[in-house]
Amino acid sequence: MFSVPMLLSNVLQTLNGSINAIWVGRLIGNSALAATANANIVMFLLFAAVFGFGMATTVRVGQFFGARDIDAARRTFGAGIGLCIVLAMTTGVLGGLLSRPLLHLLSTPAAIETEALAYLQVIFFTMPFGTLSMMVGMGLRGAGDSKTPLYAMILTVALDIMLNPLLIRGLGPVPAFGIAGSAFATAVASFAGVMLMIATIYRKDLPLRLRGAELRYLIPNGPDLRYVLGKGLPMGAQMLIMSAAGVIMVGLVNREGLNASAAYGASLQLWNYLQMPAFAISSAVSAMVAQSLGAGNHGRVGEVTRVGMITNAIMTAALAALIVLFDHPLLALFLGSDSPAMPIAEHIQLVVTWSFVLMGVMMVLGGTMRAYGAVVVPLIIMTISLYPARLGFYFLAVPHIGGEAVWWAYPVGSGVSAALTWAFYLSGRWKKDAKLEAGRPVPEQTAEQPA
C-alpha cells in the first residue's frame, strides 16, 4: 500500500512524457520526436546526480523518522534540498551554455540538431523546478508519506498535458514556441506541482516542515552534509554510469539512421512503463528498511525484501507481456501506423522487453542494501554490467550480426547485472559494518535473506 501511490506517481509521470511525445511527434513530426529522445538522454544524465543525493536523503530521513527523531529528520531534509538546489542551478547554467557540444557528443543527426538544441536549452534553464519537486517528494516518502507527492504529480501531469499543444502551436495571444514550447510546459507544470507539495506540508503541519530557526537547515553543513555526499555520490554515480551508457547507446543507435533513432525513441517510452514498478517498489523497500533500522526492528528486513521481489516480478512480467502483445498499436501512438520506423521498433520490443524483469530483481535488492549503506559494490556491479558486459558484447558482436548487436546488448547486460547483484546479496557482506545513524550497530544476523 505504501508503494501504490509511488507507482501511480511514476506511471503518471511516464504517461505525461508519453503524451508529450505524442504531441511532439504528431504536431511537429518524427524528427522532433527523435530530437527529444536525444535531449532527454542528456537531461537524465544530469538528474542522475540529484537522484543520488535524493536517495541518500530519503534513507537518512527514514532512519531518523523510524527512531522518532523528528528534528534530525528535518535537518537532513533541509540539507538535502539545499545541496540539490545549488547543484541544479549550477548544472542548469553550465548545461544551457554547453548544449550544442553535448549534442555533438551524441552524434545527433544534423536533421534534428536545431530542434534538439532548442528543447534542451529550455530544459536546462528550468532544471531547478524539476529538482526541487524530486527532492521534496523523496523526502516525504522517506517520512512515510507517499500520497502528497501523488497529488502533486496529478496536478503536474494535468497542466503539462494541457499546456503542451497550447505552447507548441500557439493560440490567440499565446505565440507558437514549437518544440521549445513542450519544454516550457513541463517547467510550468513542475513548478505548480512542487508548490502544491510545499503548501500541503505547511497547511497540514507535516513532520518535515521547516519554520523559524529550522530554515537554517537549508544551508547544508556538518554530519548531514557528509552523509548525503558520502552515500549520495556513489548512488548518483550509479545513475550517471547508467545514463552515460545510455548516451553511448543513443550514439550507436543514431549510426543506424533516422528510422532506427525514431524507433528507439518510441521504444524508450514503452520501456519507461516497464521500469515503473521496479522503481516504486525499490524506493518503498528502501524507505521501509531504513525506518525498520531506525526503529530497531531488524527482523522485518528480510520479509520486506522478499515481498518486494515477488510483487515486482509479477507486475513487471505482466506489463512486459502486454507490451509485446500489443506493440503495434502502442508504438503507433508515437510513430504512426505507416511509419518506416515501425518494423524496427516492433523488432526491438521482441528482443529487449523481457530483460526488464531481470533488471527489477537488481533494483529491489539494491533498495534493501542501499538502506544499510551498501553503495560501493552495487556501483561496481552496475559498471561491469553496462560496460564490459553490454558495450563489450556490442563491439564483439557487431562484426558478426551488424546492427542487431545494439538490441541484443540490452538483455546481455541485464542478465550479468541480476546475477552479480543476487550473488552479492546472498553473500551477506552488505550487512557488515552497517551503522544506524542513531549510532547503534546493525546486528550481524538481523537481515534475513528472502526464501
Side-chain angles (χ1 to χ4, degrees), residues 3 55 60 161 206 221 228 289 344 377 388 392 416:
S3 68
M55 284 306 307
R60 190 168 166 92
I161 290 174
L206 298 180
N221 58 71
V228 172
V289 169
I344 301 174
V377 174
V416 171

Side-chain angles (χ1 to χ4, degrees), residues 331-352:
L331 291 166
L333 292 172
F334 310 102
L335 299 171
S337 296
D338 300 326
S339 170
M342 179 63 74
I344 301 174
E346 291 177 330
H347 177 67
I348 294 172
Q349 297 307 309
L350 290 175
V351 174
V352 177

Side-chain angles (χ1 to χ4, degrees), residues 64-91:
F64 281 135
F65 195 78
R68 292 299 183 260
D69 190 345
I70 303 302
D71 184 68
R74 289 172 181 164
R75 189 175 63 243
T76 298
F77 182 58
I81 286 190
L83 174 65
C84 289
I85 289 300
V86 171
L87 179 65
M89 293 176 67
T90 303
T91 55

